[in-house]
């Protein structure tokens, strides 16, 4: 029998998975409770539409339930569910082709490596977040997914690599480049505002 | 690249971004789909079981017919006619009769089938 919600924190994902595998379908609601918000948020940001994201997130969890028998516990359940979500979101965006802001490589060379230097103190943190959200919208889905997993979902480089199927070195390089791209986009928005 | 995310200003900005709120009744909708999926899986498993039994039965009947045709074991038609003599355990000549051979054959097959069934069940439970 599955435990009540106040005991939820004490029980690990693998305990729930074991119970679900034994036929206690009800226990899946606890995993859903844990991961639906971050998974939905990630998908919304990658696909850019709440309606599409709702459908996709439902599919992610149904697929996770269906494939639970193939989950061998070699990685964390969170990594596994994010992998399903990331792959499904990227496939969905492939169907809906969208134009993204192309950034000149030479412009990126002028961006400092350390992000502390990029944001001016003239703008408030709310404005900074709003710039960041707008800048994110201009990134290709894969880049968006990478940077969100690393910064927003606080995943390590190794976890991001496991989720995206890239090598750790590749993830490091790409996050470095995406961060520079974001900094440049934010800077351009600031300059536009100043004009 | 700054490896320590906590010292990274980007990290602060991302942390400031709020999570998207779930659409109303989202978890309930997913659970409905999950329950439906679980039910379908149960049904699939049941149908597969039935299909397995039917295929097994057909295979056994085919095997019996094949064996009766080629191994020399014959169906004891004459002895079945005399029912009393067939069921009596005290008739020693019964062990040399075709009916004994036939019963041994059927019993052996049943044992093989039971063991196979047990092995398949154990394998499926493990999977």
């Amino acid at each position: 029998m599955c435990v009540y919600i106040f005991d939820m924190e004490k029980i690990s994902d693998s305990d729930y998975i074991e119970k679900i595998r034994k036929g206690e379908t009800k226990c899946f609601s606890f995993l859903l409770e844990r991961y639906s918000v971050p998974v939905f948020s990630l998908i919304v940001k990658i696909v850019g539409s709440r309606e599409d994201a709702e459908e996709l997130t439902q599919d992610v969890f149904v697929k996770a339930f269906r494939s639970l028998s193939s989950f061998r516990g070699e990685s964390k359940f969170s990594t596994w569910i994010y992998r399903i979500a990331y792959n499904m979101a990227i496939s969905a965006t492939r169907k809906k082709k969208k134009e993204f802001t192309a950034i000149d490589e030479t412009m990126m060379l002028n961006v400092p490596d350390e992000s502390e230097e990029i944001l001016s103190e003239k703008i408030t943190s709310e404005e900074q977040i709003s710039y960041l959200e707008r800048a994110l919208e201009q990134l290709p889905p894969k880049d968006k997914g990478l940077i969100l997993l690393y910064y927003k979902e606080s995943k390590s480089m190794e976890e991001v690599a496991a989720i995206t199927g890239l090598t750790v070195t590749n993830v490091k390089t790409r996050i470095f480049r995406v961060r520079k791209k974001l900094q440049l986009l934010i800077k351009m928005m600031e300059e536009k505002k100043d004009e | 690249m700054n490896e320590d995310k906590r010292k990274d200003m980007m990290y602060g900005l991302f942390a400031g971004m709020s999570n998207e709120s779930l659409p109303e009744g989202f978890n309930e909708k997913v659970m409905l789909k999950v329950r439906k999926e679980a039910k379908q899986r149960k049904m699939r498993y049941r149908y597969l079981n039935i299909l397995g039994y039917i295929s097994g039965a057909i295979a056994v009947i085919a095997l019996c017919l094949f064996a009766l045709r080629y191994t020399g074991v014959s169906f004891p038609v004459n002895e079945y006619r005399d029912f009393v003599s067939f069921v009596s355990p005290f008739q020693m000549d019964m062990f040399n009769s075709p009916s004994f051979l036939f019963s041994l054959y059927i019993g052996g097959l049943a044992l093989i089938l039971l063991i196979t069934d047990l092995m398949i069940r154990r394998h499926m439970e493990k999977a």
Side-chain angles (χ1 to χ4, degrees), chain A residues 50-124:
Chain A
R50 275 183 70 88
E51 289 73 32
D52 293 345
E54 184 182 354
E55 195 79 18
L56 274 168
T57 313
Q58 286 185 14
D59 293 347
V60 166
F61 282 101
V62 174
K63 189 176 180 183
F65 176 75
R66 208 178 281 157
S67 320
L68 214 54
S69 55
S70 66
F71 174 69
R72 289 173 192 169
E74 286 158 357
S75 62
K76 284 195 265 179
F77 177 75
S78 62
T79 306
W80 187 70
I81 194 103
Y82 274 116
R83 184 158 61 223
I84 299 175
Y86 177 82
N87 288 334
M88 285 179 82
I90 296 298
S91 311
T93 55
R94 273 196 203 115
K95 288 168 199 161
K96 287 185 179 178
K97 284 188 179 171
K98 195 184 159 188
E99 294 281 319
F100 300 101
T101 311
I103 289 174
D104 189 359
E105 291 290 315
T106 51
M107 282 169 81
M108 281 191 27
L109 293 173
N110 300 322
V111 180
D113 284 354
E114 297 303 317
S115 60
E116 283 86 344
E117 295 169 41
I118 187 71
L119 297 164
S120 96
E121 287 169 4
K122 284 184 280 178
I123 56 171
T124 63

Side-chain angles (χ1 to χ4, degrees), chain A residues 35-46:
Chain A
Y35 295 107
S36 55
V37 173
V39 167
F40 178 68
S41 297
L42 177 74
I43 296 180
V44 169
K45 293 212 165 60
I46 294 178

Side-chain angles (χ1 to χ4, degrees), chain A residues 32 36 40-41 45 50 54 58 65-66 115-116 119 128 150-152 154-155 175 179, chain B residues 1-3 5 7-11 13-14 17 19-22 26-27 29 33 37 41:
Chain A
L32 193 61
S36 55
F40 178 68
S41 297
K45 293 212 165 60
R50 275 183 70 88
E54 184 182 354
Q58 286 185 14
F65 176 75
R66 208 178 281 157
S115 60
E116 283 86 344
L119 297 164
Q128 288 175 356
Y150 184 66
Y151 284 112
K152 183 82 180 77
S154 306
K155 298 284 172 201
I175 288 178
R179 197 174 70 175
Chain B
M1 182 174 171
N2 190 352
E3 284 291 339
K5 281 195 267 184
K7 287 180 194 163
D8 187 335
M9 196 170 179
M10 274 287 176
Y11 181 79
L13 277 185
F14 274 94
M17 275 169 75
N19 265 332
E20 292 285 334
S21 59
L22 283 174
F26 178 84
N27 286 356
K29 275 186 209 166
K33 284 190 176 182
E37 175 66 29
R41 187 192 288 174

Side-chain angles (χ1 to χ4, degrees), chain B residues 112-123:
Chain B
I112 290 169
L113 277 174
L114 281 171
I115 292 168
T116 315
D117 177 64
L118 193 75
M119 281 165 73
I120 292 171
R121 274 170 198 273
R122 277 190 184 165
H123 179 75

Side-chain angles (χ1 to χ4, degrees), chain B residues 49-90:
Chain B
N49 260 346
I50 294 169
L51 197 74
Y53 285 130
I54 294 170
S55 317
I58 292 170
V60 169
I61 292 166
L63 197 72
C64 283
L65 291 173
F66 178 83
L68 282 171
R69 175 83 176 81
Y70 294 103
T71 57
V73 179
S74 58
F75 192 81
V77 184
N78 294 330
E79 289 195 32
Y80 273 105
R81 278 183 193 148
D82 188 359
F83 184 72
V84 178
S85 70
F86 176 69
V87 293
S88 168
F90 305 107

Side-chain angles (χ1 to χ4, degrees), chain A residues 2 11-32 34-35 64-81, chain B residues 41:
Chain A
C2 262
I11 298 183
S12 69
D13 291 346
S14 49
D15 291 333
Y16 283 129
I17 292 164
E18 202 51 50
K19 282 172 189 280
I20 298 162
R21 277 180 178 159
K22 283 179 183 163
E24 287 186 51
T25 311
K26 215 171 125 186
C27 289
F28 194 75
S29 64
F30 293 96
L31 292 178
L32 193 61
R34 255 179 210 171
Y35 295 107
F65 176 75
R66 208 178 281 157
S67 320
L68 214 54
S69 55
S70 66
F71 174 69
R72 289 173 192 169
E74 286 158 357
S75 62
K76 284 195 265 179
F77 177 75
S78 62
T79 306
W80 187 70
I81 194 103
Chain B
R41 187 192 288 174

